[in-house]
Amino acid sequence: MTEPPAAFAAELVGVSKRFGPVLANDGIDLAVARGEVHAVVGENGAGKSTLMSILYGLHRPDAGHVLRAGRRVRLRSPADAIRHGLGMVHQRFRLFPGLTVAENIVIGAEPVRGGRLDHTAAHRAVTALADRYGLRADPSALVGDLPVGVRQRVEILRALYRQAEVLILDEPTAVLTPGEADRLFEVLRTVAATGVAILLVTHKLTEVLAASDQVTVLRQGRVTGRFTTAGTDAGELVHAMIGRSLTPPAPRRARPPEGDPALDVRDLTVRDADGVARLSGVSFTVRPGEIVGIAGVAGSGQRELIDSVTGLRGGTDGVLLDGTPVRPGRDPRVAYIPEDRHGRATAPDMSLAENLLMGGQRTLATRFGLPRAAVRSRGRELVERFAINTASVDLPIAALSGGNAQKAVLARELTRPSRVIVAEEPTQGVDVGVRERVHALLIAARDQGAAVLLQSSELAELRELADRILVLFEGRTVAEFGPDAAEAELGQAMTGVRG
Amino acid sequence: MTAVATRTVRRVVLSAPVVAVGGALALTTLVMLVVGVDPSLAYPALVRGAIADGNLEYTIAAFVPTLGMALAFALPLRAGEFNLGGDGQLAAGGVAAAALALSAPLPPVLAVLLPLAAATLAGGLVAALAAPLSTRLGIPAIVSTLLISAPAVSLASYLVRFPLGEQGTGLAQTPPLPAAAHLPALTEGGYVTLGLPLIVALTGLWLYADGRTVLGYELRATGRNREFARYGGVRVNRLAAFALAGGGGFAGLVGGLIVLGPPYRFVDGALTAPGYTFTAVAAVLLAAARPFAVPVAVALLTLLQVGGQGMEREAGVPSQLTQIVQGLIIVIVAVFATVRARRRRA
Ligand SMILES: Nc1ncnc2c1ncn2[C@@H]1O[C@H](COP(=O)(O)OP(=O)(O)OP(=O)(O)O)[C@@H](O)[C@H]1O
Ligand SMILES: [Mg+2]
C-alpha cells in the first residue's frame, strides 16, 4: 500500500491553549471525517469555542497541531483557514446588511468583468450553489431585510462558495426559533451528504441526538467522552459533560399565586414609526408568585411587549407595576434579562465587575464617589454566588465564555430588588447544568413572590417553568394555555391556526 | 515571575503609543538625513528649544491651553462623542471673558473669576448646541460640533473687530483689559499664570470623576455601548449632551485663560492660530483611551512643538518638521487601531 489510509477531513492533535491562568484546551484530540456531522458539547467554559477558533486560525495553539486531509497545516489567520478549505459560521453574523445576498456570498472572491463585480455571474453562481445544496435564498434580496434563519443560511452559502470542506458552526441555533433550527439541520444533512465535514457546537442535547453522527464531550479543556450518536443517550452525555446526572425538575407547586397583580398590562397597543400596530390590545396580568410564559414565532410583538413592560419604550398607561404606570427610561422596579447579550445586556469591553454593576451604581456610591474596591468586591461576591467561571473580575466580559457571560447577566438582574422579573431567552448558550440552575433560580424567585414574565423560543422551557403560557401572534394574544399544553397545540396557536 | 515581567515589558513596548512615537521619530530622523540635516544637531536643538535657555516657561505656557483643550476633547470622547469644535468653543469663551472684563469694573478677585465663569459657560453653550442635532436629527457630534465651530469663530472675530474692538487703531483686537482682570503670574515673564494650577487641578478632578464616580461610570458605559447604558437606566441622551457641554466648558475656560493672560486682551486669531485644538486631539488619540496618559501625551506634543521652533532658530530645521512628526504619530496610531479592530473582527 502506497496510499495512506483514508484520512480525516480535519484533525486536531494534542491541542493546548492557555489564557493567563486558564488552561482552556489541554491536549485535545479530535477528528472529523468527510460527510460526518460531529457534535462538540460541554459545559460553559469547557473550551469548545477556543478549540473551534484554533481550527479556524483565530487563535494559535500553545501546543499541538492541525491536520487537514491528513496533512499538517499552519493556520495563522482565518485567511489561511479559508485557503485550506475551512469555513466558519459565526454566531454574530459578519454580513453586510446593505448588500444583497449574492453580493454577500461572493464578497472577497467576486467574479469580475471589466474591473467591476459581474452581477449576472454572481447571481448565477449563487443560484447554482443554492440549488446544489437545497438552500433556498433569493440572491437579490437585501440581507438587512432577511430573518435571522435566512441570514445564517447566507453565511453557510458564503463558506460553501469558498469551497469549504470543513464547516464549523459554534452554537448556531442559539439565535434561531425551533422551526428555523429544524430547517438548519436539514440543510446540514444535505451539505454533509456532499462530503463536507461539519463540526457543530451546541448545548442542546436534543439537537445533538437528532442531527449528529459522532459526539465529542469536553470538560475543563479535556476530552471526557467520545460517542457514536446512535449508541448513546442524553443521560450518558450529561454525565460525561458535568460529571453527574441532572436532578429531575422540582414538582410544580400546587398552590395558586395570590394577591394583586404585580404586573398588569391593559389594552396595550404599540405602533412603530410608520404607524403600523405592532401590538394590539394586549391585556394580561402577572401576580406575585407566578411565571407567565410568552410564546410566539419571532417578530410577533415580543420585542415591543417587553420594551413596554421595562419602560425602555417610554412610559405608558397600558403597563402598570404594582398599580402605577411604568416609568419611562428603564423602570427600576423591573429586573430584565435581555436576549441580546452583546448589544444590550453587556458592554463587551468593560470589565466583568463594571458589567455586574450596571443598575446598582448608585447604591454602591458614597459621598466621595464610587469606590473601585466596592465595585470589585460586589463583582467577586456575585461571581462566587452564581459560580461564574472567570480568572478575575477585571477581565473584559468579552473574555468570558458565552455561558459565563450569560450567568453574569443573570447574576446582576436576579439580585436587583425588583418584584417583577422579565426574562428573555434566559438559558441561551448555557450548558445543561447551568440551565438547571437558572431554572431553579427563576423558580426560587417566583416562590419568594416575584412576578416573572418569561419569553422563550424553546417550548420545552416554557412548559417546564410557566404557570400559564400566552401565545402572541401578529401582535395579539391569541391563546392562553396551562403548563400541560401539548407542544403541537402551542405550535398551532403560534402560527395562527385556531384551536 | 520573569515570564510575566517579559510579557509586561513586551506589552508596553509594543503598545500603540510607544510604537507611534518611536516610529515617528525614526521616520523623522530619516527625513532629516534625506534633506541633509544632522540629527545629532537637530535633536539637542529641539530639546534646548523646549526646556533650556528659559524656554521652559514658553513650553509650560503652551502646555496649559493644550491640556485644557485635551480635556475638552477627552471628556465627551469617553461618552462616545467626538468634539471637533474646540476652536469655536475656545473663541466663544475668549470673547465672553473679554466682554465681561471690559464691560464693568469688578472688584479684584471677582474680576478674574467672573470672566472665567462666563468663558466656561459660553464654551459649554456652543458645544451643547451640537447635542440636540445629534440626538434629535441624528447628525453625529463629530460633524455638528465642527459645523458650529466655524460660525462661532467668525462671530467672535466680528465682535472683536467691531463692538468690542479698540477704537481708532484699526487693529483686530480689544482694548487691554483692566489690571484687576489680569491672571496672577507665577513666573517673572508672566507667561505662566494661575491657569497652570487651575488646569492641573481640573485634570485631576476629571481623572477622579472618570474612574471613581457614578457619573464617570455612566459616561464610560454610554461610550462603550450606548444601548447597554440605556438598558441600565442611564439617560444616555442627557449624559451625552452633558459630556459635550462639559467639553465645551473646558474649551471656553481655556479661551478665558488665554485672554486674561498676556497680552491681556483678545487679539483676533491669537486663540486659534497656535492650533491647540488639533494638538490636543492628537494627544488624546495618542493616549488611546487611557485617561492617565492624556497629560503625558500633551506634555510630549507640546515639547515637540515648542522645541521645534527652537530647532528652527538654532539648527535651521523648519519647524514644520515637528508637525510632520505629530502627523506621523496620528497616522501610526490610527493604523494600529484599525489593524487591531480588523484582527478582532476577522
Ligand atoms: N480571549 C480570552 N482571554 C482570556 N480568557 C479566555 C479568552 N477566551 C476564552 N477564555 C477562557 O477560556 C475558557 C474556555 O472558553 P471557551 O470560550 O472556549 O468556552 P466554551 O466551551 O465555548 O464555553 P460556552 O459554552 O460558555 O461558550 C474559559 O474559562 C474562558 O474564560
Ligand atoms: Mg463558546
Side-chain angles (χ1 to χ4, degrees):
Chain A
M1 276 234 336
T2 47
E3 286 277 298
F8 286 105
E11 248 177 297
L12 290 137
V13 183
V15 165
S16 295
K17 177 79 188 174
R18 177 179 284 282
F19 292 109
V22 181
L23 193 51
N25 286 170
D26 184 4
I28 294 182
D29 295 319
L30 188 150
V32 54
R34 299 188 54 199
E36 169 183 296
V37 178
H38 194 125
V40 179
V41 299
E43 289 180 294
N44 294 133
K48 306 178 294 291
S49 296
T50 305
L51 191 65
M52 296 303 117
S53 302
I54 287 172
L55 185 54
Y56 192 58
L58 284 164
H59 289 317
R60 265 184 258 176
D62 300 334
H65 57 267
V66 176
L67 300 179
R68 171 76 181 94
R71 254 188 251 129
R72 189 161 166 173
V73 289
R74 222 165 234 264
L75 307 170
R76 280 192 216 82
S77 68
D80 283 353
I82 291 168
R83 225 183 4 262
H84 285 109
L86 298 156
M88 185 156 183
V89 174
H90 298 274
Q91 201 183 90
R92 312 209 68 209
F93 301 137
R94 286 134 201 253
L95 300 173
F96 299 95
L99 297 183
T100 66
V101 167
E103 286 164 344
N104 265 291
I105 290 173
V106 301
I107 206 160
E110 307 89 342
V112 183
R113 210 174 57 187
R116 293 165 171 239
L117 173 63
D118 184 348
H119 281 277
T120 21
H123 271 229
R124 235 181 304 120
V126 169
T127 314
L129 199 65
D131 284 346
R132 173 152 173 236
Y133 294 102
L135 284 148
R136 297 258 51 91
D138 173 7
S140 53
L142 276 187
V143 162
D145 298 337
L146 298 175
V148 210
V150 183
R151 285 194 209 189
Q152 192 172 55
R153 221 173 289 164
V154 175
E155 282 253 352
I156 295 174
L157 280 171
R158 179 153 76 166
L160 295 173
Y161 179 78
R162 296 167 175 195
Q163 270 128 34
E165 290 174 5
V166 178
L167 195 58
I168 307 163
L169 297 103
D170 193 351
E171 298 193 40
T173 56
V175 290
L176 301 185
T177 62
E180 286 174 328
D182 289 344
R183 269 190 300 270
L184 171 69
F185 292 125
E186 282 168 29
V187 164
L188 293 186
R189 275 278 153 231
T190 334
V191 172
T194 66
V196 174
I198 295 180
L199 277 161
L200 172 70
V201 177
T202 177
H203 285 295
K204 297 180 187 151
L205 295 181
T206 46
E207 296 178 356
V208 173
L209 295 172
S212 71
D213 304 308
Q214 297 287 326
V215 190
T216 295
V217 183
L218 299 187
R219 187 159 182 232
Q220 291 174 359
R222 297 195 188 164
V223 176
T224 53
R226 289 194 178 87
F227 303 95
T228 301
T229 311
T232 186
D233 58 30
E236 198 178 13
L237 290 177
V238 167
H239 205 88
M241 277 166 70
I242 63 177
R244 62 177 172 93
S245 304
L246 290 176
T247 40
R252 199 168 290 282
R253 195 191 31 161
R255 190 165 51 87
E258 40 197 53
D260 292 334
L263 170 64
D264 188 352
V265 176
R266 283 190 191 164
D267 197 22
L268 179 66
T269 298
V270 170
R271 291 178 192 284
D272 64 15
D274 301 326
V276 180
R278 293 280 163 190
L279 218 52
S280 333
V282 171
S283 300
F284 65 91
T285 60
V286 187
R287 283 180 292 173
E290 184 179 37
I291 299 180
V292 171
I294 300 286
V297 296
S300 299
Q302 295 94 326
R303 168 89 286 118
E304 290 79 9
L305 175 63
I306 286 173
D307 283 356
S308 302
V309 167
T310 51
L312 286 169
R313 255 199 107 84
T316 164
D317 290 340
V319 176
L320 302 177
L321 297 169
D322 285 325
T324 54
V326 64
R327 279 177 237 148
R330 162 77 186 277
D331 196 307
R333 293 172 293 176
V334 183
Y336 170 30
I337 300 144
E339 70 172 329
D340 184 359
R341 194 156 59 220
H342 307 277
R344 183 177 267 186
T346 66
D349 43 7
M350 288 181 93
S351 73
L352 174 60
E354 288 184 319
N355 269 284
L356 286 168
L357 177 66
M358 184 48 85
Q361 63 267 36
R362 282 171 208 279
T363 52
L364 280 196
T366 67
R367 239 178 326 152
F368 303 107
L370 186 61
R372 283 192 200 169
V375 173
R376 281 213 193 93
S377 79
R378 189 188 124 98
R380 278 195 213 102
E381 184 199 316
L382 292 184
V383 162
E384 189 110 328
R385 249 177 82 188
F386 287 80
I388 299 168
N389 191 348
T390 178
S392 142
V393 292
D394 299 322
L395 279 182
I397 197 166
L400 266 63
S401 82
N404 280 298
Q406 179 69 7
K407 279 197 259 179
V409 174
L410 282 154
R412 180 184 66 213
E413 295 305 315
L414 293 180
T415 49
R416 286 172 80 112
S418 309
R419 275 225 305 163
V420 176
I421 298 172
V422 175
E424 257 178 332
E425 310 287 355
T427 55
Q428 58 164 335
V430 303
D431 66 51
V432 283
V434 177
R435 182 186 147 99
E436 190 186 33
R437 275 194 47 132
V438 170
H439 285 182
L441 285 167
L442 287 173
I443 287 173
R446 174 196 71 186
D447 291 345
Q448 282 158 24
V452 182
L453 186 65
L454 169 68
Q455 190 261 309
S456 175
S457 55
E458 232 184 295
L459 295 182
E461 183 165 68
L462 289 175
R463 292 171 66 229
E464 206 175 314
L465 290 178
D467 300 299
R468 290 186 289 136
I469 301 172
L470 299 174
V471 178
L472 276 181
F473 177 70
E474 293 187 341
R476 296 171 193 278
T477 39
V478 291
E480 177 174 338
F481 293 97
D484 36 10
E487 292 209 1
E489 256 183 307
L490 279 165
Q492 283 196 339
M494 281 163 64
T495 49
V497 180
R498 296 248 139 204
Chain B
M1 203 55 230
T2 47
V4 173
T6 3
R7 210 158 343 132
T8 317
V9 168
R10 241 181 73 164
R11 222 182 27 232
V12 170
V13 171
L14 290 182
S15 68
V18 175
V19 172
V21 173
L25 287 178
L27 284 173
T28 312
T29 311
L30 206 68
V31 172
M32 286 181 184
L33 290 175
V34 169
V35 301
V37 173
D38 185 353
S40 68
L41 294 178
Y43 281 120
L46 186 136
V47 173
R48 270 197 304 279
I51 57 179
D53 310 332
N55 287 329
L56 189 59
E57 183 172 354
Y58 298 112
T59 306
I60 294 174
F63 172 76
V64 170
T66 313
L67 181 55
M69 293 311 288
L71 297 181
F73 181 66
L75 169 66
L77 187 64
R78 292 300 262 176
E81 301 285 359
F82 283 83
N83 175 19
L84 290 189
D87 275 346
Q89 298 146 18
L90 185 69
V95 155
L100 196 71
L102 289 170
S103 65
L106 291 163
V109 176
L110 285 184
V112 170
L113 287 186
L114 285 184
L116 288 184
T120 308
L121 208 64
L125 281 177
V126 169
L129 284 181
L133 291 180
S134 80
T135 55
R136 295 272 151 85
L137 302 179
I139 304 171
I142 191 170
V143 175
S144 54
T145 51
L146 200 57
L147 284 180
I148 293 170
S149 181
V153 171
S154 306
L155 179 68
S157 176
Y158 162 79
L159 291 173
V160 170
R161 278 162 198 270
F162 302 106
L164 297 174
E166 191 169 27
Q167 302 297 319
T169 60
L171 292 177
Q173 60 184 27
T174 62
L177 306 189
H182 292 191
L183 269 178
L186 301 182
T187 52
E188 247 159 66
Y191 285 100
V192 176
T193 64
L194 216 53
L196 175 68
L198 182 64
I199 288 291
V200 167
L202 285 174
T203 306
L205 208 63
W206 171 66
L207 289 173
Y208 183 82
D210 183 77
R212 293 155 197 269
T213 64
V214 171
L215 180 65
Y217 170 70
E218 294 186 347
L219 277 171
R220 281 183 291 122
T222 303
R224 294 297 179 88
N225 180 354
R226 200 162 279 212
E227 179 59 19
F228 169 66
R230 198 173 80 88
Y231 149 80
V234 177
R235 303 206 190 166
V236 290
N237 284 347
R238 256 183 32 178
L239 214 57
F242 167 83
L244 275 173
F250 279 123
L253 177 63
V254 170
L257 289 176
I258 296 176
V259 169
L260 300 195
Y264 307 108
R265 56 166 68 172
F266 191 132
V267 181
D268 189 25
L271 275 64
T272 49
Y276 297 127
T277 306
F278 180 71
T279 308
V281 169
V284 172
L285 294 180
L286 179 61
R290 284 181 212 86
F292 279 91
V294 167
V296 181
V298 169
L300 181 74
L301 294 192
T302 314
L303 282 176
L304 264 180
Q305 246 175 12
V306 180
Q309 287 150 21
M311 196 167 70
E312 180 165 3
R313 284 192 304 272
E314 249 189 74
V317 182
S319 66
Q320 276 80 358
L321 204 59
T322 56
Q323 278 162 22
I324 296 179
V325 181
Q326 197 170 309
L328 285 173
I329 289 177
I330 296 178
V331 171
I332 296 176
V333 167
V335 168
F336 237 81
T338 319
V339 168
R340 193 169 292 175
R342 180 100 39 102
R343 204 179 293 161
R344 202 176 306 159
R345 214 159 3 100

